[in-house]
Amino acid sequence: MFPRLHFAVCFTAVLGPTLVHTLCPEAVNSSSLIQSLFPGALLNAIMHIFSFRVSDVLVCNETQRVSFWFVVTDPENTSELISGKDVERAVRISRNRINNAFLLTDETLEFLNIPPTLAVPAESGTPPWLIVFGVVIGVVGVGIIALLISSFIQKRRKKGVTEGEEEDCEEEACDKGNGVSHPVEEGADGVNRGFVGDIPFTKL
Amino acid sequence: MEKESRPSWEQPAQFVLACVSYAVGLGNVWRFPYLCQMHGGGGFLIPYLIMLVLEGVPLFYMELAVGQKMRLGSIGAWSAISPYLGGVGIASVVASIYLCLYYNVINAWSFWYLFHSFQEVLPWAECPLNSNHTGYLDECRKATATQYFFYRETLNITSAISDGGGVHVGQALCLLLAWMVVYLCIIRGIASTGKVVYFTATFPYLVLFVYLIRGLTLHGALNGLKYMFTPKLEQLANPTTWINAATQIFYSLGLGFGSLIAFASYNHHNNNFERQAIAVSLINSSTSIFACIVTFSIYGFKATLNYESCLERVKLLLLNTFSLAEDTINVDNITYWITELNKTHPNQFADLLPKLESCDLEAELDTAVEGTGLAFIVYTEAIKNMPLPQLWSVLYFFMLLLLGLGSMLGNVTAVTTPLRDLRFVTHYLSNETTNGLVCLFCLVLGLGFTTRSGNYWLTMFNDYGATFALLLIVLIEIISVCYIYGLEQFAKDIEDMIGHRPNWYWKIVWAIVSPLIIIMLFIFYIINYIMGGTPTYQAWDKDLGQSVTTPYPPYAQAFIILLLVSSIICIPLSALYTYCNRYTDKTDTLPK
């Protein structure tokens, strides 16, 4: 926020030459004053936007900060004013150009009662977060599938080996207890777990 | 068919890192700094460290000892301590399931924010425009842009818990991703987890360190640090300070969930867990303090920024109203000018008074926030003002993700380990399938938290799902180890494992001090719950643009009671079941 330049558009519903005087009793022919305030090139740019001449713009009611009211007269008939609504619309449409003409921004150049239309941020087709999401979930998915497949392959290989081992069982260390033969199983702490399953059945 | 021996950690370092990764979680980042601020800054460290020594380390040590000795998950381990105590293990598993359900939703949010950081303008930096592009959306104007992004875009939150709302598709997708990542990390049990924890335990420290440097070099950081470290020792007289310190230590170490027992059960029989227990507890607490420093430098930056913009606005207002020259007022002499102008132009100044904001740095720093509000609203606001915000945002949310993921690994392992101990599960289902089914189950139920009112349910689960149950579980654990199993027998087991008995300090703390502290916390929790009246929650009011304290509707209150009771009830039920079983067994063997 900076000290503001005010351009206040006088809303006049009633058009008439007398109104010009009531609104702007000390109205001066704008050319000298405005030209002293703003360089000619810029002024031409503004005037071009409005398609009016410098003399159609009357300046009055100056204040300490650079702020002023202005009314715009019809070029054909200088005693008629252009309605506030039309001027408002023109300002709204060409706001960007007006700002650029003064090398100011929406924050530094304010038209009272004409709120600036904010720029819409550029919207892309796919929201960018979906793209990143897609990449990450793809990588994770591939990782999971790869691990599952490798586990599956490892199990297959192991199965082949253990089937071979079970055939050897008949020759090597096998416990034949309760009529069932199974290889001696050792738990992690060296305890023979072969009988763990049988414990509930043994009654002392 | 050959039974596989119990899997074990490839390196003891994996076990330590797994415990660190589990214990160091989001709470270290978003709860501890809040407590520090609430209870007198640097002074809070005194009760915190005392509680760490009296309660944290001994209980941690005990859980590791039980797990390593019994070499089974929580259900099997406590059944081995005493057949009537299997329920304690079941209660732990239920609490872990509750935690798994909602904790991963927070990770989903981290993912959401992480993915949204890859934009030129961070989406929470500016408010979106209203329909005719003349200004910002109302809700966003009344709140802040970061609050709007969290409550509206991320959660699309409804105004009350009774307002269901549909599932937020973006959240659901992120939750799916979060569970897929968890599955990827636990797919082969600790063979996978052991490798992942090298990264999840260490990377957050790197980010915290980078943030420390960044934070300390931010303008205004020192204000925050000064504020935090100025001890207000009168807070030590407040019993709430000590209660909060004890509670924080308790929950921060993740006791009672069965995760520590599960991790330790994969240890080699002679692993020296005593040193590891002390190390992990100390690392956890130091991380909290470290995160506190980072948080407060960022708080300081944010508060100073807000304070200085406030001063700018006041200066502009004065300049414009009194038509002063540009350079007359600046930050240093603004108070002088205010008094001057009040004297010289009293009428004008009186008109100005309603518009004049009072700018107070202390007030800005006093806005203590915890939890998701701190992580997703306050931090993001600070980040958007840093140079290169996208980079800092990505780093920050990646760190949050790793912290959350590390804790999730522990919680899911606490559920899968007892499952894998059941023989019929191991017989019919492979490791990958069991883990997959657990993840799928939690994902499907967790989708409930991605609905528009999901955040309210999440807060309910967070506040009531595990808090009370854990206190009871750990109390029963310590009492049963000391008095049912026997302290002497326990000491002998430890000597068997690590070669020397625990010294008198441990014995006294286990037998007397820790149980007393937990009983005190327990009583305090019950009193708080009863005296608190109707439980309330913070509902987001989109017309006001802020949170409103709302009481829970009756069915939600009933659900709270269900949550509180459901895990605890397993303990007596299981004891009863075992008793009945034994009784029928005995009658069966009577001679006929």
Side-chain angles (χ1 to χ4, degrees):
Chain A
M1 227 166 52
F2 285 72
R4 296 187 291 253
L5 294 174
H6 291 269
F7 275 93
V9 177
C10 313
F11 287 90
T12 55
V14 182
L15 310 172
T18 46
L19 199 60
V20 176
H21 281 287
T22 39
L23 285 176
C24 254
E26 71 274 22
V28 281
N29 182 288
S30 55
S31 30
S32 53
L33 180 61
I34 292 190
Q35 278 169 353
S36 65
L37 287 176
F38 305 107
L42 291 180
L43 198 57
N44 280 335
I46 291 248
M47 294 304 112
H48 181 69
I49 290 167
F50 285 101
S51 309
F52 294 132
R53 300 177 308 250
V54 174
S55 49
D56 292 328
V57 180
L58 307 169
V59 176
C60 57
N61 250 351
E62 295 163 44
T63 55
Q64 267 197 335
R65 299 209 169 272
V66 185
S67 71
F68 42 85
W69 297 81
F70 67 92
V71 294
V72 182
T73 57
D74 195 328
E76 276 99 57
N77 183 359
T78 46
S79 51
E80 288 214 4
L81 296 179
I82 303 294
S83 78
K85 286 228 163 16
D86 287 337
V87 182
E88 203 183 314
R89 216 162 16 110
V91 168
R92 249 211 181 101
I93 293 171
S94 332
R95 187 62 188 272
N96 216 18
R97 288 203 283 171
I98 300 176
N99 281 352
N100 286 338
F102 285 100
L103 293 177
L104 294 168
T105 62
D106 280 343
E107 278 93 47
T108 43
L109 175 62
E110 181 187 357
F111 286 83
L112 287 183
N113 291 330
I114 307 182
T117 306
L118 300 166
V120 182
E123 293 217 5
S124 55
T126 343
W129 79 269
L130 264 184
I131 300 172
V132 188
F133 170 80
V135 170
V136 175
I137 204 170
V139 170
V140 173
V142 165
I144 291 178
I145 293 174
L147 281 176
L148 284 175
I149 291 180
S150 76
S151 298
F152 190 61
I153 293 177
Q154 265 182 10
K155 277 212 185 77
R156 271 274 181 82
R157 279 209 210 114
K158 242 196 193 171
K159 241 192 186 171
V161 172
T162 44
E163 270 164 11
E165 270 183 16
E166 272 174 10
E167 282 152 20
D168 298 338
C169 186
E170 279 146 13
E171 298 130 45
E172 293 198 29
C174 277
D175 236 36
K176 286 196 164 88
N178 296 342
V180 179
S181 81
H182 48 99
V184 176
E185 301 167 332
E186 282 218 339
D189 42 5
V191 171
N192 181 354
R193 293 205 182 275
F195 295 104
V196 165
D198 297 325
I199 288 176
F201 300 117
T202 51
K203 301 242 177 5
L204 290 170
Chain B
M1 189 160 72
E2 250 186 40
K3 241 207 283 192
E4 286 168 16
S5 59
R6 191 175 186 78
S8 64
W9 302 102
E10 283 168 32
Q11 303 277 342
Q14 286 184 357
F15 167 65
V16 176
L17 288 176
C19 288
V20 168
S21 189
Y22 167 66
V24 174
L26 296 171
N28 297 67
V29 170
W30 74 31
R31 173 85 178 148
F32 182 77
Y34 168 77
L35 287 178
C36 229
Q37 185 170 29
M38 292 295 289
H39 296 294
F44 183 69
L45 289 178
I46 299 176
Y48 185 72
L49 291 173
I50 292 178
M51 287 300 170
L52 175 68
V53 168
L54 290 182
E55 178 204 359
V57 182
L59 290 174
F60 199 84
Y61 184 165
M62 177 203 69
E63 287 217 358
L64 291 189
V66 169
Q68 190 166 310
K69 165 82 183 116
M70 303 304 172
R71 302 180 62 80
L72 289 169
S74 51
I75 303 181
W78 294 106
S79 303
I81 294 263
S82 156
Y84 293 104
L85 287 179
V88 174
I90 300 178
S92 291
V93 172
V94 172
S96 289
I97 291 180
Y98 287 155
L99 193 77
C100 284
L101 287 180
Y102 78 79
Y103 203 80
N104 226 9
V105 179
I106 301 177
N107 287 338
W109 296 343
S110 298
F111 266 121
W112 172 271
Y113 271 85
L114 178 67
F115 296 149
H116 277 85
S117 308
F118 291 97
Q119 286 177 338
E120 194 182 321
V121 174
L122 293 176
W124 53 84
E126 282 174 359
C127 278
L129 304 175
N130 60 18
S131 44
N132 55 5
H133 298 310
T134 50
Y136 298 119
L137 278 180
D138 257 349
E139 188 182 353
C140 194
R141 259 186 323 112
K142 295 199 190 113
T144 60
T146 47
Q147 278 180 319
Y148 176 80
F149 184 75
F150 182 63
Y151 287 111
R152 188 54 48 213
E153 308 246 353
T154 310
L155 301 176
N156 198 8
I157 206 165
T158 53
S159 49
I161 197 170
S162 33
D163 254 330
V167 168
H168 187 300
V169 177
Q171 287 305 307
L173 287 176
C174 288
L175 184 64
L176 171 68
L177 175 62
W179 275 111
M180 280 174 69
V181 173
V182 169
Y183 182 52
L184 182 66
C185 295
I186 61 160
I187 192 168
R188 287 198 187 143
I190 60 159
S192 321
T193 312
K195 297 192 181 64
V196 170
V197 292
Y198 280 115
F199 187 64
T200 60
T202 51
F203 194 78
Y205 286 99
L206 187 64
V207 176
L208 272 178
F209 184 68
V210 171
Y211 252 96
L212 181 72
I213 308 286
R214 168 75 277 197
L216 288 177
T217 53
L218 284 171
H219 168 64
L222 289 172
N223 291 336
L225 287 178
K226 239 191 301 178
Y227 180 79
M228 178 200 136
F229 279 111
T230 320
K232 302 185 192 67
L233 288 171
E234 61 271 13
Q235 278 286 336
L236 288 183
N238 181 1
T240 318
T241 308
W242 294 86
I243 303 264
N244 278 341
T247 315
Q248 174 62 12
I249 286 281
F250 186 85
Y251 293 126
S252 180
L253 287 172
L255 303 164
F257 281 109
S259 312
L260 295 170
I261 296 180
F263 280 151
S265 69
Y266 298 110
N267 273 340
H268 188 263
H269 185 71
N270 294 107
N271 178 49
N272 188 346
F273 58 88
E274 178 172 346
R275 252 185 272 151
Q276 291 167 343
I278 299 174
V280 174
S281 313
L282 284 178
I283 291 177
N284 181 50
S285 295
S286 334
T287 311
S288 292
I289 299 174
F290 187 26
C292 207
I293 298 178
V294 175
T295 305
F296 272 92
S297 35
I298 297 202
Y299 259 156
F301 162 68
K302 178 176 145 335
T304 310
L305 197 77
N306 286 348
Y307 173 66
E308 287 180 356
S309 344
C310 177
L311 285 181
E312 268 297 309
R313 287 194 296 271
V314 169
K315 165 188 142 185
L316 212 56
L317 190 63
L318 291 177
L319 282 180
N320 283 344
T321 318
F322 296 102
S323 299
L324 300 166
E326 279 292 313
D327 295 331
T328 41
I329 308 186
N330 57 40
V331 227
D332 301 316
N333 54 22
I334 198 165
T335 30
Y336 161 74
W337 271 103
I338 290 178
T339 37
E340 264 296 303
L341 291 168
N342 199 1
K343 273 187 270 169
T344 49
H345 305 81
N347 292 328
Q348 259 185 305
F349 201 82
D351 290 332
L352 196 55
L353 221 45
K355 281 193 272 181
L356 199 67
E357 305 172 57
S358 66
C359 304
D360 186 3
L361 185 60
E362 279 278 319
E364 293 281 344
L365 286 168
D366 259 338
T367 53
V369 190
E370 61 160 337
T372 52
L374 172 59
F376 295 106
I377 297 177
V378 171
Y379 254 100
T380 45
E381 204 170 307
I383 288 174
K384 81 178 187 203
N385 290 316
M386 294 185 194
L388 270 188
Q390 294 84 356
L391 168 69
W392 298 107
S393 182
V394 167
L395 266 184
Y396 172 68
F397 287 110
F398 193 55
M399 176 190 77
L400 277 194
L401 205 53
L402 288 179
L403 290 174
L405 185 66
S407 302
M408 272 308 289
L409 296 182
N411 286 312
V412 179
T413 310
V415 177
T416 58
T417 305
L419 273 183
R420 297 290 303 165
D421 289 339
L422 297 172
R423 286 180 69 214
F424 73 82
V425 170
T426 326
H427 186 74
Y428 289 114
L429 298 171
S430 70
N431 213 356
E432 290 84 358
T433 321
T434 329
N435 294 335
L437 286 175
V438 170
C439 289
L440 189 64
F441 173 75
C442 291
L443 169 64
V444 169
L445 288 187
L447 284 176
F449 294 112
T450 59
T451 57
R452 293 183 57 194
S453 57
N455 187 38
Y456 300 133
W457 292 101
L458 192 146
T459 317
M460 185 201 286
F461 267 73
N462 187 29
D463 291 338
Y464 301 104
T467 43
F468 183 67
L470 287 179
L471 287 171
L472 189 63
I473 289 172
V474 176
L475 183 62
I476 296 182
E477 283 183 6
I478 188 86
I479 289 180
S480 55
V481 163
C482 290
Y483 300 107
I484 299 180
Y485 189 70
L487 203 50
E488 266 314 298
Q489 176 65 32
F490 191 55
K492 222 185 333 164
D493 289 336
I494 293 179
E495 187 185 19
D496 191 37
M497 286 193 279
I498 62 175
H500 62 265
R501 286 178 174 250
N503 64 31
W504 57 269
Y505 170 75
W506 299 113
K507 291 189 187 165
I508 291 184
V509 179
W510 284 330
I512 302 172
V513 182
S514 293
L516 277 180
I517 295 181
I518 301 179
I519 290 176
M520 179 186 74
L521 291 180
F522 197 70
I523 293 176
F524 186 77
Y525 191 94
I526 296 181
I527 293 179
N528 232 15
Y529 183 71
I530 296 175
M531 302 270 285
T534 324
T536 59
Y537 66 103
Q538 297 293 314
W540 176 257
D541 186 333
K542 70 174 193 283
D543 300 314
L544 291 177
Q546 61 186 29
S547 294
V548 176
T549 311
T550 329
Y552 278 114
Y555 68 87
Q557 291 183 35
F559 194 78
I560 289 178
I561 306 219
L562 185 68
L563 272 182
L564 286 173
V565 165
S566 56
S567 38
I568 295 174
I569 202 93
C570 301
I571 304 177
L573 281 184
S574 167
L576 198 63
Y577 177 75
T578 317
Y579 179 75
C580 290
N581 259 0
R582 286 208 156 180
Y583 189 70
T584 50
D585 272 352
K586 280 211 189 98
T587 52
D588 275 347
T589 53
L590 285 175
K592 296 225 164 71

